[in-house]
Amino acid sequence: NAEYGNFAYVDHRGKTRLDLDVLGQLRHDLIPFIIKRIRELPVPRIEIHNEDFEYLIVDDIFITIDEILPNMINIHSENDMDFNLMQLERQRTDSKIKFKIEGIKPKIKDLYFAFKRKKLIKIEDEGRANVRIAGEGVNIYMTFSIGVKDSRPVIGSHTVSATVNKIKIDIVEANHRHLLNMATSLASSRIEAKLAEAITKKLDQVATKWATYMNGYFARLPSAGDIKESIKDRVTH
């Protein structure tokens, strides 16, 4: 990780500055870290209870992402500067890395469904199904704040979100296939929301892990004081 050696430096006035060029290296390292950890996502059991259903259960949910193409990925950095107009100098630099993957078409196969309706004829059934993403797909978004603390770089807060658009549920096995089709179509928007919620939770775990890993590395970098002493020693000797 020698690329990060100049992340924070001390200028001729003794002030700590953030080397913005290193954001490119952070972006480069972030992509494989995230992709590796979202290729397989187990999703907790989904249970829906509302005015239509006494219960609708979706279980054995496992999302597999086989293909993420480069044109699906967008990652960039943003820098916000505060200036002191009286002193005509920069006072603070806030940087962000924004990462998104759009149009993911995961595989979700062999789910277990079970339901019991409340209204009209009280029907219940169970079976197995596959899920297709027929719309825009799954989109994920992550933002990291980057700054300097105690003369060292630090990855601060992060935000994550995911959207799941237009799932299509194909019934593979059921006692009354048309009834299960009806039930799953009524609940599809709720299932989409639950899938997005589970993906977002996983993304938050991955983001926290990446920030913890990088901050651990940054903590081992020389501090501003160490750099100044090193420069002083080289000058005096």
Side-chain angles (χ1 to χ4, degrees), residues 50-104:
N50 57 25
E51 64 278 4
D52 293 316
F53 297 100
E54 185 172 326
Y55 64 82
L56 189 147
I57 297 170
V58 188
D59 209 350
D60 299 340
I61 312 167
F62 197 83
I63 300 175
T64 303
I65 300 173
D66 289 334
E67 188 174 62
I68 297 179
L69 301 176
N71 64 343
M72 298 162 60
I73 302 171
N74 180 281
I75 185 167
H76 67 278
S77 56
E78 297 179 355
N79 305 307
D80 297 324
M81 308 289 187
D82 278 357
F83 288 88
N84 183 320
L85 295 180
M86 298 298 294
Q87 299 180 14
L88 297 179
E89 66 176 19
R90 185 176 66 199
Q91 296 298 305
R92 189 180 77 247
T93 302
D94 295 325
S95 300
K96 293 180 180 179
I97 292 178
K98 294 191 173 183
F99 175 81
K100 65 181 179 182
I101 306 178
E102 296 181 313
I104 303 170

Side-chain angles (χ1 to χ4, degrees), residues 3-4 6-7 18-32 75-79 95-99 146 210 214 218:
E3 298 88 347
Y4 294 108
N6 294 322
F7 194 109
L18 183 66
D19 188 330
L20 302 181
D21 291 341
V22 83
L23 289 174
Q25 183 62 35
L26 279 169
R27 296 196 304 266
H28 181 270
D29 289 352
L30 175 62
I31 292 173
I75 185 167
H76 67 278
S77 56
E78 297 179 355
N79 305 307
S95 300
K96 293 180 180 179
I97 292 178
K98 294 191 173 183
F99 175 81
I146 315 292
W210 184 72
M214 292 307 303
F218 292 145

Side-chain angles (χ1 to χ4, degrees), residues 11-237:
D11 67 10
H12 65 284
R13 297 180 181 178
K15 294 184 177 181
T16 303
R17 299 296 187 188
L18 183 66
D19 188 330
L20 302 181
D21 291 341
V22 83
L23 289 174
Q25 183 62 35
L26 279 169
R27 296 196 304 266
H28 181 270
D29 289 352
L30 175 62
I31 292 173
F33 188 95
I34 299 298
I35 290 177
K36 179 180 179 181
R37 288 162 177 79
I38 64 170
R39 286 198 178 277
E40 296 184 342
L41 300 176
V43 177
R45 173 188 178 107
I46 296 172
E47 294 191 20
I48 296 173
H49 307 272
N50 57 25
E51 64 278 4
D52 293 316
F53 297 100
E54 185 172 326
Y55 64 82
L56 189 147
I57 297 170
V58 188
D59 209 350
D60 299 340
I61 312 167
F62 197 83
I63 300 175
T64 303
I65 300 173
D66 289 334
E67 188 174 62
I68 297 179
L69 301 176
N71 64 343
M72 298 162 60
I73 302 171
N74 180 281
I75 185 167
H76 67 278
S77 56
E78 297 179 355
N79 305 307
D80 297 324
M81 308 289 187
D82 278 357
F83 288 88
N84 183 320
L85 295 180
M86 298 298 294
Q87 299 180 14
L88 297 179
E89 66 176 19
R90 185 176 66 199
Q91 296 298 305
R92 189 180 77 247
T93 302
D94 295 325
S95 300
K96 293 180 180 179
I97 292 178
K98 294 191 173 183
F99 175 81
K100 65 181 179 182
I101 306 178
E102 296 181 313
I104 303 170
K105 296 295 179 69
K107 294 178 180 178
I108 312 175
K109 293 186 174 182
D110 197 28
L111 309 184
Y112 170 77
F113 278 91
F115 79 97
K116 184 175 181 179
R117 286 206 72 186
K118 288 181 180 178
K119 293 183 176 180
L120 300 175
I121 301 173
K122 293 189 176 181
I123 306 167
E124 58 185 302
D125 200 358
E126 63 179 350
R128 313 293 298 191
N130 298 328
V131 173
R132 294 179 291 114
I133 308 295
E136 297 176 2
V138 175
N139 304 322
I140 66 174
Y141 307 94
M142 311 177 80
T143 299
F144 296 88
S145 296
I146 315 292
V148 176
K149 182 179 180 181
D150 298 330
S151 302
R152 291 182 175 86
V154 62
I155 298 174
S157 61
H158 65 261
T159 60
V160 299
S161 63
T163 60
V164 178
N165 298 290
K166 294 182 180 178
I167 65 170
K168 295 293 183 181
I169 301 170
D170 300 321
I171 304 302
V172 176
E173 175 188 326
N175 296 323
H176 308 285
R177 183 173 299 213
H178 67 287
L179 296 178
L180 193 54
N181 266 322
M182 177 186 64
T184 53
S185 64
L186 287 172
S188 61
S189 62
R190 293 290 301 278
I191 295 171
E192 288 171 5
K194 290 290 187 179
L195 290 174
E197 182 182 316
I199 294 170
T200 299
K201 183 176 181 180
K202 177 64 175 181
L203 289 175
D204 185 62
Q205 294 171 351
V206 172
T208 299
K209 187 171 184 178
W210 184 72
T212 300
Y213 169 78
M214 292 307 303
N215 285 335
Y217 169 74
F218 292 145
R220 296 190 294 273
L221 292 178
S223 68
D226 293 337
I227 295 172
K228 290 169 68 176
E229 287 300 317
S230 176
I231 294 172
K232 181 180 178 181
D233 287 344
R234 284 199 297 272
V235 171
T236 55
H237 294 85

